[in-house]
Amino acid sequence: MKEEKIIENFTQELKRGIITLNVLNELIEPEYGYSLATKLQEKGIEIEQNTLYPLLRRLEKQNIIESSWALEDSRQRKYYSLNEKGKKVLEKLKLEWKKIVESTNYLLEGEE
Amino acid sequence: MNLIDKYVSEVSRRLWKKNRKDIEKELKSTLEDMLEEKIGDREATEEDVVELLKEYGRPKDVASSYNTPDKFLIGPRVFDLYALVLKIVLGVVLILTLLGSSISLVFGEVSNIFIELLLIVPRIFSAAVGAFGGVTIIFALIEHFTDEEIDIKDEDWEPKDLPEAVEEYDRVNILGLIAKIVLTIFALVLFNFYPDKIPVFYQSGGDWVFVSALNMDALNKFLPYLNILWILSIILSFVLLLQGEWNLKTKAGDILLSVFSIIILAFMITGPDIINLKGLETINPELVKDLTPVFAILGSMVKVFFGILIAVILFDIVKKSYKIIRERV
């Protein structure tokens, strides 16, 4: 396989790994699906609609986010946000992320 | 019809009923947002929508992103029909097994009655399991062979080719209609050409014998009306298959046929017993004496069954009429 393709694949893997963390972080404030996707894209997190919506539903099923329908501009929108449990989960996850970053940087720097 | 609505409809019919409406709403809202962003201040053209939908993906793929797992033994498209057919078949099997058991019960020698009673449950269970397995296999095959997109190549799907989205309760249930047509034709043939072949089995000194169950005079009184009902029903089913969706005329026709069937059933309840003993008198008059109470019970059971059927159809008529009225308001 061409080098660029390999790098692309691995990078995708990395990015996939942080999607949930980023989604949860963005949901501290209520967002609807489309606005969430746009915000994430602005911050450099690429995620397809086809991945985001099912993810949101899974998170809701796991009871860490909650949803409600709101009517604005004559458009019905489904808003998602973290609930209490979700906020706790996010905090713990952020800690885990810090640990991962530290240990990875340490490993990487060690090799140089 | 709105292209986005067609698309959303095509996605949602592949989803499980539980989430269907919610996902439909959300998907439509998202697509409208995406469209707005795409066109900015100008008006949306059909080309814009087609481009957007193509970009979003094939309905089948979008639906599978919501469904895990992705391959089903019996999937969302077919499941509702499966559940309905299963309920009907199990109900029928239950009734038939009980009938069969009661006949051999009344017939058996005294010392066997308790064993017969005990045997009823395993008999019902084994018949139910068999029926359940048969229906499930049939529907698993239906699910497997009617995956309509087997022929569509990846890049070739065109949003414009989407079928008209129809309100769920106006969609015609094709498989259900075909099943109905087949069963009605079967009933027509059976009761008109082979009515004497409908048997009741009983045990006579160790041998199983059967005798025609139906009273020909009673049957002939009702048969013409039943025939008319069945033929009209088949015609309605064909019309529905052709049109693909219900409209006010077909809905009204459906309700009229239901009313007609209630009237016929009412007459059958108040009329002579359908089940008879005449066939036996020639064979074994002794048997007739023993069988008379059994057949009386059977006759009543059949009438009770008709009564229940009337109630069910009546309830169905009320439900359908209510839906029609609600639509119009």
Side-chain angles (χ1 to χ4, degrees):
Chain A
M1 218 190 241
K2 277 179 85 175
E3 193 179 302
E4 286 104 49
K5 190 70 174 133
I6 296 179
I7 294 176
E8 199 185 301
N9 283 352
F10 289 164
T11 312
Q12 292 282 44
E13 228 173 276
L14 278 176
K15 288 184 177 173
R16 270 201 295 272
I18 55 169
I19 284 179
T20 306
L21 173 59
N22 280 296
V23 165
L24 289 176
N25 194 46
E26 287 304 316
L27 289 179
I28 296 177
E29 291 303 320
E31 296 284 346
Y32 62 94
Y34 190 58
S35 66
L36 182 61
T38 318
K39 284 217 170 88
L40 288 171
Q41 257 148 25
E42 280 163 16
K43 297 188 177 166
I45 317 273
E46 299 149 25
I47 179 167
E48 270 183 45
Q49 311 277 2
N50 278 350
T51 326
L52 180 60
Y53 287 100
L55 172 62
L56 289 171
R57 267 157 212 280
R58 277 201 298 279
L59 293 173
E60 200 179 359
K61 228 182 183 177
Q62 291 170 305
N63 221 347
I64 46 184
I65 64 176
E66 44 195 22
S67 67
S68 57
W69 282 94
L71 181 64
E72 49 182 69
D73 309 326
S74 69
R75 183 82 56 86
Q76 286 266 13
R77 290 207 173 96
K78 191 174 186 188
Y79 277 82
Y80 299 87
S81 63
L82 289 182
N83 60 16
E84 285 312 309
K85 183 172 159 193
K87 286 178 185 153
K88 291 192 200 133
V89 166
L90 177 60
E91 288 314 305
K92 300 244 172 80
L93 205 53
K94 279 160 117 169
L95 286 174
E96 291 297 323
W97 170 250
K98 290 207 175 96
K99 286 192 215 159
I100 291 175
V101 169
E102 269 171 34
S103 58
T104 309
N105 283 341
Y106 181 65
L107 280 170
L108 290 177
E109 273 151 38
E111 293 297 306
E112 274 175 39
Chain B
M1 164 131 267
N2 195 328
L3 200 54
I4 290 186
D5 284 328
K6 282 196 209 179
Y7 180 81
V8 168
S9 183
E10 191 63 23
V11 170
S12 77
R13 76 181 182 97
R14 290 182 164 76
L15 301 168
W16 294 107
K17 203 183 221 158
K18 204 170 81 169
N19 294 326
R20 201 174 283 163
K21 280 264 173 287
D22 196 69
I23 295 182
E24 254 183 38
K25 262 167 94 174
E26 194 174 30
L27 184 57
K28 180 163 178 186
S29 161
T30 303
L31 286 172
E32 284 171 352
D33 279 334
M34 284 172 88
L35 185 63
E36 239 176 52
E37 194 183 296
K38 193 180 167 80
I39 59 178
D41 288 325
R42 61 179 174 90
E43 282 289 315
T45 65
E46 198 180 299
E47 283 312 304
D48 292 319
V49 180
V50 168
E51 229 177 81
L52 173 66
L53 293 180
K54 258 207 131 147
E55 218 180 279
Y56 204 84
R58 286 190 306 170
K60 180 184 179 180
D61 297 328
V62 173
S64 20
S65 69
Y66 285 102
N67 290 336
T68 49
D70 207 0
K71 273 222 170 292
F72 306 105
L73 183 68
I74 292 177
R77 282 177 308 135
V78 153
F79 189 82
D80 296 331
L81 181 63
Y82 165 70
L84 180 65
V85 170
L86 197 60
K87 285 180 201 161
I88 296 175
V89 169
L90 285 178
V92 169
V93 163
L94 180 69
I95 293 176
L96 288 177
T97 316
L98 281 175
L99 277 179
S101 293
S102 2
I103 291 178
S104 38
L105 192 76
V106 173
F107 243 110
E109 286 138 23
V110 177
S111 53
N112 281 341
I113 285 190
F114 296 109
I115 297 183
E116 281 300 322
L117 274 172
L118 283 178
L119 281 177
I120 286 183
V121 173
R123 271 197 199 126
I124 292 180
F125 185 71
S126 107
V129 168
F132 185 90
V135 174
T136 304
I137 289 178
I138 289 176
F139 274 88
L141 288 173
I142 291 178
E143 169 72 40
H144 185 77
F145 287 113
T146 61
D147 187 0
E148 299 112 341
E149 274 174 318
I150 285 179
D151 301 324
I152 297 184
K153 286 170 283 215
D154 276 302
E155 308 84 48
D156 286 359
W157 84 278
E158 268 305 326
K160 291 192 192 173
D161 291 337
L162 291 170
E164 288 292 327
V166 171
E167 288 289 10
E168 214 169 284
Y169 49 83
D170 275 349
R171 270 193 209 130
V172 146
N173 188 341
I174 294 187
L175 288 170
L177 276 178
I178 293 181
K180 192 170 176 190
I181 292 178
V182 169
L183 284 174
T184 314
I185 292 181
F186 178 71
L188 265 174
V189 169
L190 181 66
F191 286 97
N192 279 289
F193 298 111
Y194 303 105
D196 48 343
K197 294 280 184 290
I198 299 172
V200 168
F201 291 93
Y202 67 91
Q203 242 178 342
S204 166
D207 292 319
W208 283 97
V209 187
F210 78 85
V211 134
S212 159
L214 298 180
N215 178 342
M216 290 307 135
D217 295 327
L219 186 64
N220 288 333
K221 264 181 95 168
F222 302 118
L223 199 55
Y225 301 103
L226 284 174
N227 283 341
I228 296 176
L229 178 69
W230 287 331
I231 292 177
L232 285 176
S233 168
I234 292 181
I235 293 177
L236 181 66
S237 300
F238 272 120
V239 166
L240 283 171
L241 270 180
L242 284 171
Q243 290 185 343
E245 63 182 28
W246 290 92
N247 59 33
L248 192 56
K249 283 200 204 138
T250 41
K251 283 182 191 174
D254 181 49
I255 291 184
L256 276 176
L257 280 182
S258 296
V259 171
F260 188 33
S261 57
I262 287 185
I263 295 176
I264 297 183
L265 280 172
F267 277 116
M268 283 171 89
I269 289 183
T270 57
D273 276 326
I274 289 278
I275 310 226
N276 84 310
L277 291 169
K278 295 228 178 104
L280 271 189
E281 272 160 10
T282 46
I283 300 175
N284 190 341
E286 273 263 327
L287 226 44
V288 174
K289 234 182 24 176
D290 292 330
L291 273 179
T292 311
V294 179
F295 276 77
I297 296 177
L298 268 182
S300 319
M301 278 175 85
V302 168
K303 290 193 172 171
V304 166
F305 176 64
F306 286 162
I308 294 177
L309 211 52
I310 289 184
V312 166
I313 297 178
L314 205 53
F315 179 67
D316 191 51
I317 291 180
V318 169
K319 217 173 62 170
K320 285 183 185 158
S321 317
Y322 177 65
K323 267 195 198 141
I324 296 181
I325 294 174
R326 231 182 37 178
E327 259 179 87
R328 301 281 135 184
V329 165

